[in-house]
Amino acid sequence: MPVIVDQNMRERIAHEAAFFPVSYFENELSELPGWAGPLHWHPDFEIARAETGVLDYQVGKTHILLNPGDGIFVNRNLLHGVKQVSGNVPDPLPIVVFSGTLIAPETSTISQKYIVPIADCTSLPFIVFRRQDDWCGEIHDLMDEIFTCLKQQTGCYELAVQRDLNRLFELLICRLDALPKIQATRVQLRTQVRVQKMLDYIYTHYAEPITIADIAQAASISRSEAARCFHEYMDCSPVNALIRYRLQTAHRLLHDTSLTVQQIGLDCGFGSANYFSRKFRSFYGYPPGHVRDLGK
């Protein structure tokens, strides 16, 4: 199941087992229309790397271009998403989502000393590992090992992954003062929380008849403030964000289920099949039925 198209973008990152809180994803972009997914967030850390194409990784309202070989660390509970902007085939984009508890329990001295300073650093929403930067050499080696271990799952792979993530945090904490920071103002932090609350409402209630007033109420703000927040983070209106998510969900259902086009349109909150088809064609450039034609 693609990590960035889950119905509840905040909660539905499911690890293989509770005792080993790590999830590995690969080739997710190939399953997403336009090789792009909506903004989402989760309480875990994330590391990912561009392999063959150029990726636009959005973290908060910052866009980071990753060239082939560049990696990224995304801090927990932050809005983020990815879109491929160049390349003839979808990038494999290996992604690892993991809890800090894999390294140490939250109440432990190790966690307080080495995990929390990074996790709670509001000026460190992400860290970019450029392939050409000398200090990133060992980090890329660690990422190679982590990706391989999680993909192949041979031998004592859990211990190897835990060891490599420990070393990754050791390298980051030792370089913490030198890492580039983005100082977020209190207003920016508040805006991100508001966007998360409104997106959570959209992702939960997209199938229902909802208005911009409903979306704004989810964050206890006015409709004009809701519009400002969405334009700042998503460059669109709340209603457009709702329609976009409905269409992305519909595209997934067309690909993964045998439901009729009419039923999918209704299930995704569109009032009629004609309205659904018109919006779908306008957004993707082809009719809903074309998704199934491509899969034959």
Side-chain angles (χ1 to χ4, degrees):
M1 179 174 56
V3 64
I4 53 181
V5 293
D6 257 344
Q7 181 165 324
N8 186 334
M9 311 305 281
R10 181 170 55 90
E11 296 291 346
R12 305 261 309 193
I13 302 293
H15 299 300
E16 290 298 320
F19 65 88
F20 188 57
V22 180
S23 294
Y24 177 69
F25 305 92
E26 191 177 29
N27 295 313
E28 303 297 324
L29 287 176
S30 63
E31 301 181 19
L32 297 171
W35 302 344
L39 290 175
H40 64 286
W41 65 98
H42 40 71
D44 300 314
F45 302 107
E46 178 172 316
I47 57 173
R49 188 168 64 197
E51 298 290 307
T52 60
V54 178
L55 306 179
D56 177 0
Y57 233 95
Q58 180 179 351
V59 182
K61 61 179 183 178
T62 302
H63 290 261
I64 308 104
L65 284 182
L66 300 182
N67 294 308
D70 292 341
I72 191 169
F73 168 94
V74 180
N75 218 331
R76 62 188 186 185
N77 292 319
L78 287 170
L79 280 168
H80 62 284
V82 61
K83 177 180 182 179
Q84 185 166 337
V85 294
S86 77
N88 297 323
V89 295
D91 193 292
L93 182 59
I95 299 174
V96 175
V97 179
F98 64 97
S99 170
T101 58
L102 180 70
I103 298 173
E106 292 180 348
T107 56
S108 68
T109 300
I110 290 177
S111 179
Q112 295 301 310
K113 192 173 181 179
Y114 301 114
I115 307 299
V116 171
I118 293 175
D120 289 355
C121 185
T122 57
S123 60
L124 196 66
F126 59 87
I127 306 167
V128 179
F129 310 125
R130 298 293 181 192
R131 175 60 75 178
Q132 69 270 20
D133 291 347
D134 292 338
W135 76 271
C136 298
E138 184 176 355
I139 288 177
H140 281 289
D141 291 341
L142 291 170
M143 293 175 73
D144 284 338
E145 292 181 7
I146 292 169
F147 296 153
T148 299
C149 286
L150 289 172
K151 187 174 183 178
Q152 297 180 355
Q153 297 189 9
T154 58
C156 303
Y157 79 94
E158 298 98 336
L159 289 175
V161 170
Q162 184 183 46
R163 176 199 65 213
D164 290 341
L165 288 174
N166 272 320
R167 178 58 179 161
L168 176 64
F169 265 82
E170 180 184 356
L171 293 172
L172 295 181
I173 203 71
C174 289
R175 195 178 175 83
L176 185 58
D177 292 338
L179 292 172
K181 306 294 195 303
I182 297 178
Q183 298 297 334
T185 66
R186 188 172 299 178
V187 172
Q188 289 172 331
L189 295 173
R190 184 174 67 233
T191 298
Q192 176 167 273
V193 171
R194 287 173 171 176
V195 172
Q196 287 175 305
K197 288 181 178 179
M198 290 186 287
L199 284 177
D200 190 37
Y201 183 84
I202 287 174
Y203 296 157
T204 303
H205 299 279
Y206 71 93
E208 305 167 15
I210 60 178
T211 66
I212 185 174
D214 297 323
I215 297 170
Q217 182 58 39
S220 302
I221 58 178
S222 67
R223 289 181 295 177
S224 60
E225 177 62 11
R228 185 196 69 80
C229 292
F230 270 87
H231 276 289
E232 183 173 344
Y233 274 80
M234 302 183 67
D235 196 28
C236 69
S237 70
V239 171
N240 284 339
L242 168 63
I243 293 173
R244 183 187 302 174
Y245 185 71
R246 283 172 168 170
L247 291 170
Q248 289 167 332
T249 303
H251 195 289
R252 175 170 54 83
L253 291 174
L254 286 164
H255 183 272
D256 295 343
T257 75
S258 58
L259 294 172
T260 65
V261 170
Q262 181 178 17
Q263 187 61 54
I264 288 174
L266 293 174
D267 288 348
C268 290
F270 294 96
S272 70
N274 287 337
Y275 179 62
F276 168 53
S277 294
R278 188 167 68 252
K279 284 292 185 181
F280 194 96
R281 182 188 290 271
S282 175
F283 188 73
Y284 289 114
Y286 47 81
H290 186 61
V291 177
R292 287 176 172 161
D293 292 338
L294 291 174
K296 293 179 180 179

